[in-house]
Amino acid sequence: MMKFNPKSKFLKLQNKLVFLGIVMLFFIATDVKAQVINSPNKQLVLTFELKNGVPQYQLVYKGKAVIKPSTLGIEVVNHPSFMDGFVISDSKEDSVDNSWKPVMGEVKTIRNHYNELLVTLSQPTLNNRFIRLRFRLFNDGLGFRYEFPKQKDLNYFIIKEEHTEFNLAGDHKIFWIPGDYDTNEYAYTTSKISEIPNLMEEATAFISAQWPIKNLAVQTPSMMKSSDGLYINIHEAALINYPAMSLNVDAENFRMSSHLTPDAVGNKGYIQTNAQTPWRTIVVSDKATDILASKLILNLNEPTAYEDVSWIKPVKYIGIWWEYFVAGKSTWAFGTETNVKLEDDFSKLTPNGKHGATNERAKAYIDFAADNGFNAVLIEGWNVGWEDWIGNWKENVFDFVTSYPDFDVNAIHEYAASKNVKIMMHHETSGSATNYERRLDRAFQFMKDNGYNSVKTGYVGQIIPRGEHHDGQWMVNHYIHVAERAADYEIMINSHEAVRPTGLNRTYPNWIAQESARGTEFEAMGGLAPEHTTILPFTRLMGGPMDYTPGIFQTDLTYYNTGGQQRVNTTLVKQLAYYVTMYSPLQMAADIPDNYDRFPDAFQFIKDVAVDWDNSYILEAEPGDYITIARKTKGKNEWFVGGVTDENSRTATVPFSYLPKGKEYLATIYSDAKDASWDKNPQAYTIKKALVNSKSLLKQYMAPGGGFAISIKEATPSELKELKKL
Ligand code: NOJ
Ligand code: CA
């Protein structure tokens, strides 16, 4: 038996005090010592330090503050938070310089070059519980994330809120849409940060199933420009098993902070160690073109784990689609009934006489696709359930396998296959993700059995499980589950109304494109400002390819005599430019085939244009004003150039220095006519052929709301003889 020894108790106490003293000293010492890393080219400097035990970072570009000292932390529901009381218990630096090849992309090789700082932060008063912060500093910006390693006292926790600050250096110009848990289909507002409070109400127009954030918040990707010429883009990369982040706006102090999407019970994330947050990304440059050229977000995503990616292919498609929005002569629904159930006998419905997805129409579209070199035809409204698909928060709207009586899946598949055309499947879930998950395997097997290799998914309406949001952790996991499951069946996904992308097309390359922003459909529902597509590449497209659905030639929609006064707010030629300026390996020619037949010479550009590239050259750009991009076709000596302007006419300067030297090429230039404009004369254009070489320089006119498009290829001997130089 141990004897009571007052001396040893005293010694123990003394030891404890000494230990505490050391901890305190350590605490103070580490608190003052800031850690600094540079970008490989030394133009960016990241500083990390603890201020009174609170993590804080700042970012400087060429001597200018991008992010002033800003705090980091995670507030937790069921445990003490990861907000303060930290000491730095370890810190490591690393440098990486390698490159990789995307399955499809804007460039064939991507360089991944950064310096890294990894700090371990422990909380001595909480039994040395610890987290890590990993910072990666590239030449084009910063990515950082929180990591939660597995440890004795930390298995599970629930996030109340992430508190990542982005303390900006001034009252920047910002291109923004309102923070919303359920939709990103808002029009952009351009203002100063300080003006956001006054403009928020007007900016928050009605959109079905919207859920605007109550306190002042905007969405990412958030594009800003400082008065001294810095372009700053804040977004996130690799959003997996975590809710999407919006940005709270403190408009007086130009301070933004993370605002995560809650779940049905108000929690913001369920974490089990090992885990990490998505990367928070800040792309920065004094050149707007660098923002568009940045591959930082892709670099921060994990390489794909798919062993075979040979089945993932670019898609150029047409569809029974735009006519539902504008022509008024056809509908998704077959019957006139307004209350149907999946178990109903749909052949007994009263036909409304306007069903779009009939065998006859499908065959006509397949013929058009085959004649003009398209890979696929999207057919919406082929499956039962469209009579009451929206607005009822209904669980079992669609079954994804039963066609309407006038659509023969087998016959259409055989007809398409005989013409070497694929049918693109359409899975509108109407927000009922539970129903979709239950039926997913049967739906994908049905696709496999009938020769479909791609599907457009959709999430219109309020989400089921009820109370969940489009951008919450549950749905984030759902979209990824669908992509992974689709890969098992070698199916490509083109999602609409899903959470905005964060570069996951690197990890899940069959998640080939997304809508996740206001796309062409809104030209038929209130219109898009002419500047909209000069902003989207700086915002939505920073995260990944967009199924924008360009190619509308009949822009004046009164043409259809449906009573609407709508128009598409671009010239015809600007619609051509989109195939180059709005990057996606999946592109639609969205207009009704009849309209392409009316303008065969302009349609030639859509037939020719590539969708997968060896290289891209961002020639000129200013968010909200104009963008000019040239791209080289993957594996071919062909180039395409696209330029777009906002509501102002403009002259673009187009170099050709990316062409191999010393050789003349044939350029076909599609221009707005001198008297063209988006509102008065949108279909006036000229097409000119000329020879160009690497030294040519073109001054190219763009009409108000217009643009231009150029295709460049090898010239034949007779073209070399007959055509003039530019
Ligand atoms: C919204 C999508 O964006 C649109 O393309 C589709 O036609 C409808 N939902 C119906 O699924
Ligand atoms: Ca949509």
Side-chain angles (χ1 to χ4, degrees), residues 185 496-497 515 521:
E185 300 195 350
H496 280 225
E497 295 87 40
E515 179 191 44
E521 63 185 18

Side-chain angles (χ1 to χ4, degrees), residues 247-263:
L247 297 172
N248 294 317
V249 179
D250 171 350
E252 271 166 39
N253 300 300
F254 324 132
R255 188 175 293 159
M256 310 245 180
S257 60
S258 50
H259 181 123
L260 303 180
T261 309
D263 74 351

Side-chain angles (χ1 to χ4, degrees), residues 106 288-290 292-293 616-621 627-631:
E106 293 177 89
T289 50
D290 287 349
L292 298 183
S616 292
Y617 311 89
I618 317 295
L619 302 178
E620 295 186 308
I627 295 173
T628 306
I629 298 177
R631 303 191 197 269

Side-chain angles (χ1 to χ4, degrees), residues 465-535:
R466 296 186 182 86
E468 292 298 330
H469 294 291
H470 285 76
D471 294 354
Q473 185 183 25
W474 197 94
M475 284 303 289
V476 162
N477 289 340
H478 166 84
Y479 308 124
I480 292 172
H481 170 71
V482 171
E484 282 189 310
R485 206 72 186 157
D488 294 342
Y489 295 84
E490 303 193 339
I491 286 169
M492 296 182 279
I493 303 278
N494 164 25
S495 58
H496 280 225
E497 295 87 40
V499 66
R500 75 281 182 285
T502 57
L504 286 172
N505 55 320
R506 177 176 184 187
T507 313
Y508 308 104
N510 64 319
W511 194 355
I512 171 173
Q514 294 187 231
E515 179 191 44
S516 302
R518 204 173 177 91
T520 295
E521 63 185 18
F522 274 87
E523 298 276 24
M525 304 188 291
L528 298 171
E531 66 167 14
H532 185 63
T533 46
T534 67
I535 298 171

Side-chain angles (χ1 to χ4, degrees), residues 38 40 49 124 155 161 210 279 283 353 419 426 442 517 522 535 538 550 570 652 667 710:
N38 293 299
E49 60 192 315
N155 295 320
E161 187 57 281
Q210 72 192 145
W279 298 91
V283 177
K419 302 218 157 189
H426 185 221
R442 277 172 288 170
F522 274 87
I535 298 171
F538 285 97
T570 74
I710 307 176

Side-chain angles (χ1 to χ4, degrees), residues 110-130:
I110 293 176
R111 187 173 179 190
N112 177 37
H113 190 195
Y114 61 83
N115 292 330
E116 180 176 279
L117 171 67
L118 177 64
V119 258
T120 305
L121 300 175
S122 332
Q123 290 170 307
T125 57
L126 294 168
N127 214 9
N128 280 322
R129 193 183 73 164
F130 65 98

Side-chain angles (χ1 to χ4, degrees), residues 272-382:
Q272 179 182 2
T273 58
N274 280 324
Q276 67 275 321
T277 68
W279 298 91
R280 279 59 189 96
T281 62
I282 303 160
V283 177
V284 58
S285 177
D286 49 13
K287 290 194 214 74
T289 50
D290 287 349
I291 306 294
L292 298 183
S294 173
K295 297 289 170 281
L296 181 145
I297 288 173
L298 278 176
N299 274 324
L300 289 170
N301 276 273
E302 292 301 315
T304 183
Y306 300 167
E307 267 164 35
D308 177 16
V309 290
S310 60
W311 50 276
I312 302 171
K313 296 201 171 76
V315 182
K316 207 150 67 160
Y317 73 105
I318 58 169
I320 305 185
W321 180 72
W322 184 236
E323 56 180 74
Y324 294 148
F325 290 83
V326 294
K329 60 178 183 211
S330 54
T331 58
W332 283 275
F334 170 82
T336 56
E337 286 74 1
T338 53
N339 177 347
V340 298
K341 287 191 177 160
L342 273 179
E343 51 272 29
D344 291 351
D345 181 351
F346 280 78
S347 67
K348 300 248 164 65
L349 294 188
T350 322
N352 68 10
K354 291 163 127 191
H355 185 220
T358 65
N359 292 327
E360 197 197 344
R361 310 284 320 294
K363 283 185 179 162
Y365 270 77
I366 292 165
D367 290 343
F368 186 85
D371 292 348
N372 295 289
F374 289 92
N375 308 110
V377 178
L378 165 74
I379 302 176
E380 295 199 2
W382 70 278

Side-chain angles (χ1 to χ4, degrees), residues 623-657:
D625 295 342
Y626 57 87
I627 295 173
T628 306
I629 298 177
R631 303 191 197 269
K632 179 180 177 295
T633 304
K634 173 95 46 93
K636 267 193 189 172
N637 268 346
E638 271 181 15
W639 294 260
F640 294 87
V641 188
V644 293
T645 180
D646 58 6
E647 68 284 1
N648 300 307
S649 67
R650 217 178 284 275
T651 300
T653 303
V654 188
F656 295 86
S657 45

